[in-house]
Amino acid sequence: MDPIHIDVPYVLHTKRLILRRPEAGDGGMINEAVHRSEQQLKPWLPFVQEMPSIEDTESSARQAHTDFTARKKLRYLVFHKKKGDFIGSTGLHNIDWEVGKFEVGYWIDTKWSGHGYMRESVRELTRLALEDLGGARVEIRCERAHEKSRRIPEQLGYQLEGILRMEDLSVDGRCLTDTCIYAKVQERRKKHG
């Protein structure tokens, strides 16, 4: 089955959050959060090495919308349910629909850090991938030194399957880094099509 025929919800709800796919016009809001969180994001994320313009971020949001529609990547923007404020971004990428494999990525606006919002978002994405989308495997990859990022899969019951030593360059290109691979798997998988 062509993945474009797979029904994927555009909006997800948790107890405290709304996750929705990016839309045209989201660039300014996302860009503001990235700029506000530059110091915390820069050591870990390539797109923060040179701060993006609002136009760059708008283009990224529109591309994410297109990728979502084509089922290439399923990016969601995270909002506080009561306040409506933008909190961060998460999504499923490196998708292999044939195998039923997904990788979760995430970042949070610094002003919302420390309240468990990203953990709540990733829990919902994991549920979506394994239950609604019939996935067999969900991975989270992060640098060994990024302890805050590692806490999320550890708190959600992902298994640390291994640490790839000296596997990648740091985002600034200055040194080699170790990559932790966490995963959740589901033996019984429903196949699409």
Side-chain angles (χ1 to χ4, degrees):
M1 170 185 243
D2 184 341
I4 205 160
H5 295 288
I6 297 170
D7 291 329
V8 180
Y10 298 150
V11 179
L12 302 170
H13 295 270
T14 70
K15 183 177 180 182
R16 302 180 296 167
L17 306 170
I18 295 172
L19 287 71
R20 71 156 171 82
R21 76 173 176 192
E23 302 288 346
D26 286 336
M29 162 190 73
I30 298 167
N31 188 271
E32 184 180 321
V34 169
H35 279 262
R36 184 173 35 249
S37 307
E38 177 182 9
Q39 295 305 310
Q40 290 75 26
L41 299 178
K42 192 168 187 169
W44 315 112
L45 298 174
F47 71 89
V48 188
Q49 296 313 294
E50 290 187 30
M51 290 306 290
S53 67
I54 292 174
E55 185 178 90
D56 292 337
T57 309
E58 179 64 23
S59 294
S60 174
R62 289 174 185 233
Q63 184 62 55
H65 179 95
T66 300
D67 289 344
F68 193 109
T69 302
R71 306 301 187 248
K72 292 179 181 176
K73 298 176 186 176
L74 304 175
R75 182 172 160 199
Y76 288 90
L77 302 181
V78 181
F79 296 88
H80 194 280
K81 195 177 262 188
K82 288 185 179 174
K83 298 179 181 182
D85 293 352
F86 174 66
I87 290 175
S89 180
T90 188
L92 300 171
H93 57 276
N94 293 331
I95 298 171
D96 183 331
W97 288 106
E98 188 64 30
V99 172
K101 184 172 90 170
F102 305 87
E103 184 177 331
V104 178
Y106 45 87
W107 64 268
I108 192 165
D109 182 335
T110 302
K111 81 176 197 176
W112 295 100
S113 187
H115 300 285
Y117 294 129
M118 198 48 64
R119 182 177 60 242
E120 188 172 327
S121 299
V122 172
R123 179 184 295 118
E124 179 61 14
L125 274 190
T126 303
R127 186 205 63 73
L128 172 73
L130 293 177
E131 295 177 18
D132 296 355
L133 302 179
R137 177 181 179 84
V138 181
E139 290 182 359
I140 295 177
R141 294 174 176 243
C142 52
E143 274 192 38
R144 183 182 207 166
H146 195 345
E147 293 180 12
K148 278 187 170 184
S149 186
R150 290 180 62 187
R151 273 190 230 126
I152 290 175
E154 290 168 356
Q155 292 172 347
L156 293 176
Y158 278 69
Q159 296 298 309
L160 177 62
E161 292 188 334
I163 299 173
L164 304 178
R165 296 180 300 148
M166 309 298 264
E167 186 263 344
D168 200 4
L169 274 175
S170 59
V171 292
D172 62 9
R174 294 183 181 170
C175 63
L176 292 172
T177 62
D178 298 344
T179 302
C180 295
I181 302 175
Y182 293 90
K184 269 197 173 190
V185 298
Q186 177 169 271
E187 296 300 324
R188 42 190 182 92
R189 175 179 177 245
K190 66 180 182 187
K191 219 149 139 81
H192 295 284

